[in-house]
Amino acid sequence: MLGMSGRRCALALLAMSLLAGCGGGGGEREVSDPGYVLGIDGAEIQSSTDPQYANWLDDASRWYLSGSGFLPPGTTCGVSQCRDQFGFMSSAYLGAYEMTWRNETTGASGRIDNLSWFCWCSNPPQWSMFVPVVPGNNLIVVTQRAGTKVQTDTVTVIVQ
């Protein structure tokens, strides 16, 4: 049986191994821009009558949008692969950014707060959002701002 000092030592060793495996202890580094760009998934024109998009309109008249973004300056990552030594996904700290949507048809707008990215994966960060729409054509603009970098993408959603 371990004494008090033996337990402290064992706990300290366990904590150090966990930090080393997860990139802790100052092992984080800033990620350089791999050239990801903001984009909305799907076609430039999406219609509720198209079988591909038939389930994207919910009962509250909101259209499901998803897509990819770019990595903001200051994004850091703690490890050099997508899984740490224990097999857990390694997530990143995304630098400061603002992401918004606007339905130009109705004037409604809002924030997209769920941009997420897993370190060192070959895919860009992902986001998703339900956007209120009205019958007819809805021009939706998604914008991402980070530092001096600004990118936009648009989609026309037709609700019939």
Side-chain angles (χ1 to χ4, degrees):
M1 193 147 163
L2 291 174
M4 188 59 115
S5 64
R7 284 189 204 132
R8 283 188 195 133
C9 184
L11 287 173
L13 287 173
L14 176 63
M16 287 182 352
S17 69
L18 288 173
L19 285 174
C22 296
E28 293 183 355
R29 57 185 152 155
E30 190 164 341
V31 179
S32 61
D33 182 3
Y36 298 139
V37 295
L38 176 68
I40 299 172
D41 293 340
E44 290 181 23
I45 298 175
Q46 301 174 7
S47 174
S48 61
T49 60
D50 184 337
Q52 179 178 354
Y53 303 109
N55 295 325
W56 289 29
L57 182 65
D58 71 5
D59 293 338
S61 294
R62 300 176 307 164
W63 192 263
Y64 178 75
L65 290 180
S66 63
S68 57
F70 61 83
L71 294 180
T75 296
T76 61
C77 191
V79 296
S80 60
Q81 56 186 343
C82 287
R83 295 193 182 272
D84 66 17
Q85 70 186 30
F86 303 106
F88 295 108
M89 290 299 290
S90 175
S91 60
Y93 165 76
L94 290 172
Y97 72 93
E98 178 185 32
M99 200 165 200
T100 59
W101 62 268
R102 179 172 172 82
N103 184 334
E104 296 291 337
T105 303
T106 66
S109 63
R111 294 178 52 90
I112 301 172
D113 292 323
N114 65 349
L115 184 67
S116 61
W117 182 64
F118 293 102
C119 296
W120 305 109
C121 293
S122 58
N123 297 321
Q126 299 295 303
W127 59 270
S128 61
M129 186 73 201
F130 280 94
V131 175
V133 291
V134 295
N137 292 355
N138 294 263
L139 177 62
I140 311 297
V141 179
V142 174
T143 304
Q144 183 181 356
R145 293 177 178 82
T148 60
K149 192 172 186 177
V150 178
Q151 293 183 359
T152 62
D153 196 12
T154 62
V155 63
T156 299
V157 173
I158 303 170
V159 177
Q160 299 191 8

